[in-house]
Amino acid sequence: MLFTVPPLAGHVNPTVAVGAELAARGHEIAWAGPASALSRLLPAQARILPAGEESGGGYAALHERWRDLRGVGALRFLWEEALVPLARAMVPGVERAVRAFGPDLLVADQQALAGPLVARRLGVPWATSASTSAELTRPFADFPKIGEWVAGQISGLLAEFGDAATEPQGWDPRFSERLVLVFSTPELVGTAGDFPAHHAYVGPAFGARPASPGFPWQRLDPARRRVLVSLGTLNQEAGARFYGAVLGAAERLAEDVQFVLAAPPALIGPVPGHVLLQESVPQLELLPHLDAVVCHAGHNTVCEALAHGLPLVVAPIRDDQPIVARQVVEAGAGIRVRFGRTRAEELRDALTAVLDDPGPRRAARRIQASFAAAGGAAAAADRLEKLL
C-alpha cells in the first residue's frame, strides 16, 4: 500500500500508526511526498518515494506568508498557493512511485490531491485518509459562493491532469467512492446516523513520534492542577498576543493551576515559577498527567486530548479549526475563546469552567470511550484490507 501525504505533521501522523499496523500484518508499505519533510516526520525505517520536493524557498517560505492570514484570505491561500501547486509538484513523483512500487491500493490524504489524480490515471484503487473531519461537515453550506470557488479550484485541477475522453465529470479527489477513513467518531463530529457506509469513523490513530528529549518531568507540580497550552507546530509565531493572555490567566490562577506552555521561549520572555515553558513537549506522554488542554482546535491536538478524557479550551485561528472548535463545543467537551482578542480574564474564566464544571469532563470521557470503541489504526487497517 502506498500513502500519499502532504508535508504536514497532522496529516502524516495518522498514516504512521496505520502503516505500522499494516506492516505488522505482513503488508509492504511506502509513503510518497516531499522527501526532505517526510524524513523528519516518519520513522527512520519508513520507505519514502520522493514526490514534490521543495522549491522557491520551500514550505517554510509558504508558512511565513500564511501564518497571519485569516478567514477567506487563508482559504484562498491554502488552495491557490499550497494545495494546487503541491498537487502539480507531486504528480510526476507519485506517478513514478506507483509505477516502481506497484501498490495494490493507494491511500491519499485529502490534501495530497496528486494521489487520486495518478490513481485514476493508472487504474489503481484508492482510499481517502481524512485527517480532519471538517470537509465532511458541509463547511460551505452557509457560504455557497465560497463553496463554488473551491469547486472551481478542483475542476481546474481535474481539467489540467484528467483525461477528458475517459474520466467522468465531477469526481472529487478529496473523497474516494470506495473508502473514506475518518480519524474521529460521530460523537465528536456530530454526524451520528448521517454518513455514507463507505465513510469509516475509526477514531484517532496514534503512531510513533520523534523523541522530545529533556522534558523536565520532575517540575510537574502534584499540588496543582496542570494545563497544557499548545498552538501546534505551525501557529506558534502567530501567538504573541494570545500568549500574553495565557500568562495573565496563569497569574490569576497561580495558587491552583500549573501551566505547561509549548512555545518559543524567545517569544515569551521570563515566566513565573508555576509556568513550565518548553519549545516542544512530548504531548502524548504528557497528556495522562494533565487536567485540561488549551489549544488552537487543531484536529490532532483535540483528538489527543479527548482520547485522554481531557476537557478543552479552544481558540481557533484558521482553516478547519473553527469547525473542529464548534464540534468540541457542541459535544459539550470544551469552551471556545477568541484567538485574536482573548483577554486574560476571559481565558481564566474559560479554564476555571472546564476545570471545575464536571460537564465538560463527562463529555470528554464520553468521546474518549467512543474513540476506544472505534478501533483506531487496527480498524483502519481492517477497512483497507477489505479493498484488496
Side-chain angles (χ1 to χ4, degrees):
M1 298 192 198
L2 178 65
F3 291 92
T4 57
V5 290
L8 299 169
H11 296 253
V12 173
N13 285 344
T15 72
V16 173
V18 178
E21 177 69 25
L22 289 166
R25 300 181 184 191
H27 299 285
E28 189 176 355
I29 309 301
W31 283 262
S36 59
L38 295 193
S39 65
R40 298 189 296 268
L41 299 172
L42 289 168
Q45 72 276 14
R47 181 174 180 180
I48 299 173
L49 305 174
E53 271 307 296
E54 300 182 15
S55 61
Y59 300 109
L62 275 180
H63 176 238
E64 287 291 322
R65 294 158 54 198
W66 163 84
R67 69 183 185 189
D68 293 321
L69 296 174
R70 304 286 186 273
V72 174
L75 180 70
R76 290 184 66 90
F77 186 90
L78 176 67
W79 280 95
E80 292 180 339
E81 304 293 332
L83 299 188
V84 171
L86 179 64
R88 291 192 184 111
M90 284 182 62
V91 160
V94 171
E95 186 161 341
R96 287 192 299 270
V98 169
R99 293 188 186 280
F101 186 60
D104 299 291
L105 180 67
L106 185 147
V107 184
D109 182 90
Q110 279 188 309
Q111 292 192 357
L113 303 174
L117 292 172
V118 172
R120 293 290 285 254
R121 177 186 293 175
L122 300 183
V124 177
W126 63 283
T128 295
S129 172
S131 50
T132 174
S133 58
E135 292 279 9
L136 309 175
T137 62
R138 301 179 66 241
F140 307 122
D142 296 329
F143 307 97
K145 293 294 184 184
I146 297 175
E148 291 171 8
W149 182 84
V150 170
Q153 295 295 304
I154 294 170
S155 296
L157 196 62
L158 297 182
E160 186 174 346
F161 289 99
D163 185 345
T166 60
E167 285 285 7
Q169 297 297 311
W171 74 281
D172 193 329
R174 296 172 299 173
F175 307 106
S176 167
E177 295 176 352
R178 292 171 176 256
L179 175 64
V180 177
L181 292 174
V182 187
F183 294 101
S184 186
T185 58
E187 287 77 7
L188 175 59
V189 179
T191 56
D194 188 30
F195 55 89
H198 72 288
H199 286 201
Y201 283 73
V202 298
F206 301 136
R209 302 286 173 82
S212 181
F215 184 80
W217 295 98
Q218 73 282 2
R219 288 190 56 195
L220 292 180
D221 186 350
R224 289 183 169 94
R225 292 181 289 183
R226 293 178 289 272
V227 171
L228 171 65
V229 180
S230 172
L231 297 181
T233 55
L234 295 177
N235 299 290
Q236 292 180 332
E237 295 86 352
R241 190 186 187 286
F242 187 77
Y243 291 140
V246 169
L247 293 177
E251 180 182 356
R252 290 159 172 80
L253 295 170
E255 291 186 7
D256 183 45
V257 179
Q258 180 181 31
F259 282 63
V260 180
L261 177 54
L267 195 62
I268 304 299
V271 297
H274 70 290
V275 175
L276 178 50
L277 174 62
Q278 295 284 292
E279 182 87 36
S280 63
V281 299
Q283 189 159 293
L284 283 177
E285 293 83 0
L286 182 61
L287 287 167
H289 303 275
L290 302 176
D291 296 281
V293 172
V294 178
C295 71
H296 60 307
H299 193 263
N300 264 23
T301 300
V302 164
C303 287
E304 288 173 8
L306 292 173
H308 289 82
L310 298 176
L312 292 136
V313 174
V314 287
I317 305 172
R318 65 175 76 78
D319 300 335
D320 66 325
Q321 296 156 18
I323 297 170
V324 176
R326 185 177 70 234
Q327 292 174 2
V328 170
V329 173
E330 290 181 352
I335 293 175
R336 177 174 176 167
V337 297
R338 303 164 297 176
F339 176 76
R341 292 176 293 184
T342 299
R343 295 175 292 107
E345 295 80 8
E346 181 183 2
L347 190 55
R348 174 204 60 197
D349 292 346
L351 261 174
T352 300
V354 300
L355 287 169
D356 293 345
D357 183 346
R361 185 169 296 276
R362 280 198 300 267
R365 288 176 174 166
R366 183 181 70 250
I367 296 169
Q368 178 187 29
S370 78
F371 285 177
D382 290 343
R383 293 298 295 259
L384 291 171
E385 285 184 322
K386 290 179 180 178
L387 298 183
L388 297 177

